[in-house]
Amino acid sequence: MHHILVVDDNQEIRDLLGRILRKHDLKVSTARDGYEMRECLKNGPVDLIVLDLMLPGDDGMKLCRELRVGSAVPIIMLSAMGEETDRIVGLEMGADDYMTKPFSPRELLSRIKAVLRRTGAADGHPKQPASADRIMRFAGWTVDLVRRELRSPDDVLVDLTGGEYDLLVAFLENPHHTLSRDRLLDITRNRAALPFDRAIDIQVSRLRRKIEAGPEQSMIKTVRGVGYVFSGPVERG
């Protein structure tokens, strides 16, 4: 049973989401602020956090940034603000998805299930790659497809969000092939692109900062007006 943590200062929202998610066989914990969120995380791991942007004390942006320092737990951010800039900032901070209030609880449930499918099968038993195909290598980097881990050429474990990991694997499985933004959204977020959706551009920017030393060593090339292409050699096994 996946464990979902809902962090929102609105009790009605916490209660509503708790009821709906539990009906779909999800374990739910709730918190009304950053303090209660931290206390809940001390009690054991969670599989996904639904995080409100506007909270008393530390806001959602600060908490998201704090979580990303040492954790890749998936985060879906909620906000009453509908401006694109707020969504972009949330994604830049490391959120995996972003929904604007008022929202449909059913749509949120669908988003949660999509993120859980990226980080592990929805039934809790992810399909394992064949042993010969569990490792992918590029430019000295190593990706373990079973453990969903990325290690640097110096054998340092690099934290990736669920979206960043799936984006990297999509590139590695299609080297030298141009992938459109819509296709990458479909692969990594399991939903169609919205008008002017910059989510993929943000994810690519974050991924580049983690695996590239600089523009002169770029492996992920921009194809203007189309999407992106991974230009480096990739090895399996």
Side-chain angles (χ1 to χ4, degrees), residues 172-211:
L172 298 182
E173 290 181 339
N174 299 276
H176 310 293
H177 291 278
T178 300
L179 299 175
S180 69
R181 288 176 174 83
D182 285 354
R183 176 59 180 149
L184 290 170
L185 267 172
D186 184 53
I187 292 172
T188 63
R189 299 169 68 82
N190 198 38
R191 64 184 180 88
L194 299 173
F196 312 112
D197 197 331
R198 292 182 54 195
I200 285 298
D201 298 324
I202 293 169
Q203 295 276 29
V204 168
S205 177
R206 289 175 57 86
L207 183 59
R208 279 172 168 163
R209 291 198 295 268
K210 293 183 178 182
I211 68 172

Side-chain angles (χ1 to χ4, degrees), residues 38 44 57 66 72 74 90 94 96 117 123 128 166 171 184 207 211:
R38 297 183 189 101
E66 176 184 314
D96 292 81
R117 279 194 293 271
D123 61 1
Q128 301 295 340
D166 286 330
F171 283 130
L184 290 170
L207 183 59
I211 68 172

Side-chain angles (χ1 to χ4, degrees), residues 1-2 17-27 105-106 109 113 122:
M1 181 180 292
H2 285 96
L17 293 182
R19 289 195 303 271
I20 290 176
L21 298 180
R22 290 185 184 104
K23 285 181 179 179
H24 288 80
D25 299 322
L26 295 168
K27 177 182 177 181
R106 299 294 177 182
L109 175 63
K113 289 183 175 180

Side-chain angles (χ1 to χ4, degrees), residues 92 149 168 198 203 220 235:
E92 283 282 9
E149 290 181 349
L168 174 60
R198 292 182 54 195
Q203 295 276 29
I220 304 174
E235 299 178 357

Side-chain angles (χ1 to χ4, degrees), residues 125-130 145-147:
H125 300 283
K127 181 180 178 181
Q128 301 295 340
L145 299 177
V146 174
R147 297 183 177 180

